[in-house]
Amino acid sequence: QVYDRAKELVISFPAIEIGDVLEIKWTTRGKHPEYRGRFFARYPFGDEKHPVWRDALSVRVPKGTTLKHAVFNPDRAPGNGLKPQRTENADGTTFHWTVNESHPPVKGDLMPSKEEWRPGVSFSTFKSWEEVAEWERKIRENCHECTPEMKSLVREVRKRNPTDEAVAREL
């Protein structure tokens, strides 16, 4: 099974007032062991409930690595339509996207889903969808195989429980 190792931090500001400004920065570093040196993600800009003055995304790739990227819902991005600024140095290339002054949609009965109205960027260092499929095949190759220990445990639990529901509950 593939697990999401993402971490989430929730920060509460109970005394925030109109006109206050919050600036939040976060960074992800390192390599996910299952990605085998590759990287992919999707980043939607803005927020569905609150206005955002500035939302920025930077992706840095090492020298010799190609980053493929595509904008989704570009017509919903105010300003430049999400054209990245590209900066190169000796270590690699940095791509930087910015959306300024995004507002949540006006509430209504027939509004599109948040995936349809929020602009964003999808990006990957995989060269093609075929390479993604090959990566997925290798990662999931034996994911449905039970270890002998797991098979033994299931047999023991089955002996004690008369129904599949009871087996599932105990497991």
Side-chain angles (χ1 to χ4, degrees), residues 4-122:
D4 183 5
R5 295 176 183 255
K7 295 178 182 177
E8 184 174 314
L9 173 66
V10 177
I11 302 172
S12 176
F13 297 96
I16 196 164
E17 296 180 14
I18 294 175
D20 290 349
V21 175
L22 302 177
E23 182 175 341
I24 301 168
K25 295 181 180 182
W26 55 269
T27 301
T28 303
R29 295 178 189 259
K31 295 180 181 176
H32 193 295
E34 291 182 343
Y35 296 170
R36 296 190 172 108
R38 298 292 186 186
F39 176 70
F40 60 93
R42 176 181 164 99
Y43 186 85
F45 289 91
D47 187 82
E48 61 194 71
K49 296 179 183 174
H50 308 286
V52 176
W53 178 73
R54 182 170 185 237
D55 195 349
L57 167 69
S58 294
V59 177
R60 186 176 62 179
V61 293
K63 193 165 192 77
T65 301
T66 301
L67 182 74
K68 293 188 172 203
H69 52 87
V71 174
F72 54 89
N73 302 327
D75 55 317
R76 306 255 185 207
N80 68 3
L82 287 175
K83 292 186 177 140
Q85 293 178 338
R86 183 180 170 142
T87 308
E88 294 188 39
N89 61 26
D91 296 330
T93 306
T94 300
F95 296 83
H96 185 79
W97 292 268
T98 304
V99 170
N100 292 319
E101 298 184 37
S102 65
H103 299 277
V106 176
K107 301 212 183 288
D109 291 338
L110 302 173
M111 294 298 293
S113 70
K114 64 182 179 181
E115 288 79 19
E116 292 180 52
W117 72 262
R118 288 175 72 184
V121 180
S122 296

